[in-house]
């Protein structure tokens, strides 16, 4: 019995003792099947749960990596796979113990739906680093029903209220969805490394994460330089808040910035040369990876040694910080730049993501699933 069959067997056992209801979804049956309509069982909301009718779900490049099993060694995919972790919707049921929401409220769900709650990281609000590993919104062990969790390419989701976020009525709901992953994943490291006025900050890649990083770094007062492989994104990058744009394929343009950056955030989803960016850091500068290319990237030691530079990584952000980010966005009028799609266009959207052809996040209007 392989891992997937084992997971499904446990799921059948657990589901027979739990109340569930059917949800419409788009799922992948294998790494090569593409996405197609199907249905799954969700748990009926328990006292501390909210059931959310999903209005919008963003399309993250992680959805594509996971659906195609590109992270096979780190996070192998269990099929069927229902991706989606940039969820905005309306509460249709609130359990008897729920305090934060009532029926009819707008609520959002990001990349996590549970964590142990008692380890040092959880206690300090960094559930993404939970010692027992947080339950991610999809492809994580489902502690209630068995099997794996299913994400937001669906008409509804049920989560513990502690993992649902409040959304300001001032924000456009479709353009808010990408904040739940692309937003927090870029906000959190920019805050952690204390990006501020007077600093020179680089952002590598202008996709879903990159365009949010440009907006936040600009809002925090930094001098923002965007590195792109797509010359046709230059004017958009300047409009989004970059002060300068560098075409990274042009060595002469890169040379001009040698040893000048305080901080660089790398959002690239595929193979690329990290060493070229390490060389652009000044003494004690940091290059932080948020992009998750499936294959290892070659690293030369000397770029780090000279100038005591640092290479780091960051993954999403805690629930408290996600709420802080949403509130910051409401206050500063920040949302994602989106292309709205119907769910039937999601396979085409994946193909366009692979060509770096999105301006700058696809968001699925979930009414198309009805
Ligand atoms: P995306 O919208 O597809 O953007 C990626 C951008 O990277 C592209 O628009 C492109 O920008 C650049 N790029 C793509 N291929 C490249 C190549 N071969 N060489 C150089 N640049 C290239 O993806 P996303 O949704 O922003 O996600 C980006 C990465 O972050 C993915 O690997 C995703 O899994 C990961 N991620 C990590 C976290 C986390 O918590 N750490 C959270 C979410 C996502 P230009 O056209 O400007 O060059
Ligand atoms: Zn994501």
């Amino acid at each position: 019995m392989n891992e997937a069959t084992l997971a499904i067997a446990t799921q059948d056992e657990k589901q027979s003792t739990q109340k569930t209801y059917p949800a419409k979804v788009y799922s992948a049956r294998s790494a090569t099947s593409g996405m197609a309509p199907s249905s799954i069982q969700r748990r009926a909301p328990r006292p501390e749960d909210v059931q959310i009718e999903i209005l919008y779900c963003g399309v993250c490049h992680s959805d594509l990596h996971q659906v195609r099993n590109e992270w096979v060694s780190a996070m192998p995919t269990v099929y069927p796979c229902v991706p989606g972790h940039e969820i905005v919707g309306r509460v249709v049921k609130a359990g008897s113990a729920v305090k934060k929401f009532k029926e009819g409220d707008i609520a959002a769900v990001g990349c996590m739906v549970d964590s142990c709650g008692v380890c040092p990281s959880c206690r300090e609000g960094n559930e993404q680093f939970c010692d027992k590993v947080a339950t991610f919104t999809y492809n994580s062990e489902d502690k209630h029903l068995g099997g794996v969790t299913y994400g937001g390419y669906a008409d509804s989701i049920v989560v513990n209220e502690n993992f649902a976020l409040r959304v300001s009525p001032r924000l456009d709901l479709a353009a808010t969805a990408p904040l739940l992953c692309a937003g927090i994943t870029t906000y959190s490291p920019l805050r952690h490394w204390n990006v501020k006025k007077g600093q020179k900050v680089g952002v590598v890649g202008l996709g879903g994460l990159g365009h949010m990083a440009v907006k936040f770094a600009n809002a925090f007062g930094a001098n923002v330089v965007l590195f792109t492989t797509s010359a046709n994104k230059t004017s958009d990058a300047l409009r989004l808040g970059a002060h300068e744009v560098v075409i990274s394929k042009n060595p002469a343009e890169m040379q001009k910035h040698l040893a000048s950056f305080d901080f660089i955030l790398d959002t690239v989803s595929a193979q690329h040369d990290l060493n070229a960016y390490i060389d652009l850091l000044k003494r004690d500068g940091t290059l932080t990876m948020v992009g998750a290319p499936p294959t290892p990237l070659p690293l030369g030691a000397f770029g780090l040694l000279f100038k005591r530079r640092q290479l780091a990584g960051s993954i999403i952000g805690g629930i408290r910080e996600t709420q802080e980010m949403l509130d910051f966005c409401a206050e500063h009028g920040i949302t994602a730049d989106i292309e709205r799609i119907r769910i039937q266009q999601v396979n085409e959207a994946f193909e366009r993501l692979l060509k770096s052809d999105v301006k700058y996040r696809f968001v699925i209007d979930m009414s198309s699933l009805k």
Side-chain angles (χ1 to χ4, degrees):
M1 201 187 263
N2 66 26
E3 222 173 280
T5 358
L6 182 66
I8 289 159
T10 335
Q11 185 177 35
D12 284 344
E13 257 164 50
K14 287 206 181 175
Q15 279 185 6
S16 62
T17 57
Q18 288 267 346
K19 276 196 181 161
T20 63
Y21 73 93
K24 285 187 188 171
V25 299
Y26 252 55
S27 67
R29 304 216 69 82
S30 78
T32 53
S33 67
M35 305 292 297
S38 64
S39 82
I40 53 151
Q41 293 294 312
R42 296 280 193 205
R43 70 173 184 263
R46 297 162 314 147
E48 61 279 17
D49 289 337
V50 285
Q51 179 179 334
I52 297 168
E53 176 200 358
I54 301 178
L55 300 173
Y56 299 103
C57 185
V59 177
C60 179
H61 206 115
S62 301
D63 301 349
L64 169 58
H65 289 309
Q66 193 76 68
V67 158
R68 298 195 178 176
N69 206 8
E70 291 176 354
W71 292 330
V72 59
S73 47
M75 289 197 271
T77 306
V78 176
Y79 295 98
C81 174
V82 181
H85 54 205
E86 294 185 336
I87 299 165
V88 170
R90 191 180 305 283
V91 175
V92 289
K93 276 189 195 153
S96 55
V98 168
K99 297 194 183 71
K100 243 166 53 177
F101 299 96
K102 57 180 189 326
E103 282 165 30
D105 283 353
I106 297 296
V109 179
C111 302
M112 296 180 288
V113 289
D114 208 352
S115 72
C116 85
V118 295
C119 76
S121 295
C122 284
R123 278 172 191 272
E124 67 190 36
N126 280 313
E127 300 89 350
Q128 73 277 31
F129 305 124
C130 174
D131 285 354
K132 300 253 167 70
V133 184
T135 304
F136 294 104
T137 306
Y138 58 83
N139 204 59
S140 252
E141 183 193 349
D142 185 326
K143 304 249 168 51
H144 304 281
L145 296 185
V148 290
T149 51
Y150 295 126
Y153 294 12
D155 60 1
S156 74
I157 192 165
V158 176
V159 295
N160 182 298
E161 69 160 332
N162 294 333
F163 286 80
L165 289 305
R166 277 190 294 263
V167 173
S168 162
R170 272 185 281 171
L171 293 174
D172 175 81
L173 295 185
T176 295
L179 301 180
L180 278 299
C181 175
I184 184 61
T185 301
T186 51
Y187 181 93
S188 182
L190 292 169
R191 282 291 195 221
H192 180 79
W193 276 276
N194 201 16
V195 161
K196 54 181 186 286
K197 197 171 164 57
Q199 289 186 329
K200 184 171 172 184
V201 169
V203 174
V204 189
L206 196 67
L209 268 57
H211 94 292
M212 290 310 307
V214 166
K215 291 186 186 205
F216 287 134
N218 178 294
F220 299 164
N223 173 26
V224 185
V225 180
L226 184 270
F227 295 92
T228 182
T229 57
S230 311
N232 62 359
K233 293 181 183 172
T234 302
S235 57
D236 281 347
L238 296 170
R239 172 179 58 78
L240 293 165
H243 300 98
E244 192 176 339
V245 177
V246 172
I247 308 302
S248 53
K249 290 187 274 195
N250 182 335
E253 279 193 51
M254 294 288 280
Q255 284 281 327
K256 279 196 280 181
H257 292 273
L258 278 178
S260 65
F261 281 87
D262 296 281
F263 183 77
I264 300 179
L265 192 68
D266 185 334
T267 76
V268 173
S269 51
Q271 264 296 341
H272 61 292
D273 181 18
L274 278 190
N275 304 290
Y277 294 101
I278 289 172
D279 288 345
L280 302 190
L281 294 169
K282 56 181 179 190
R283 202 200 79 197
D284 292 318
T286 302
L287 170 66
T288 295
M289 305 284 305
V290 283
T295 48
L297 307 178
L299 176 69
F302 284 96
L304 294 174
L305 270 51
F306 287 104
K307 299 197 183 298
R308 202 167 49 191
R309 294 158 169 142
Q310 298 170 63
L311 175 62
S314 184
I315 189 162
I316 51 173
I319 295 295
R320 196 186 304 151
E321 193 175 41
T322 305
Q323 189 64 61
E324 174 193 306
M325 178 272 312
L326 286 169
D327 297 344
F328 179 90
C329 287
E331 195 182 321
H332 295 267
I334 294 174
T335 50
D337 283 37
I338 63 164
E339 295 191 46
R340 267 179 199 242
I341 59 167
R342 287 174 293 113
I343 193 139
Q344 294 77 7
Q345 295 171 287
V346 74
N347 290 310
E348 189 190 322
F350 278 3
E351 291 310 314
R352 282 187 54 198
L353 269 191
L354 282 178
K355 294 187 206 134
S356 304
D357 174 25
V358 54
K359 295 206 164 57
Y360 280 91
R361 195 57 137 190
F362 295 115
V363 172
I364 304 165
D365 181 341
M366 213 50 78
S367 64
S368 59
L369 184 58
K370 296 256 153 60

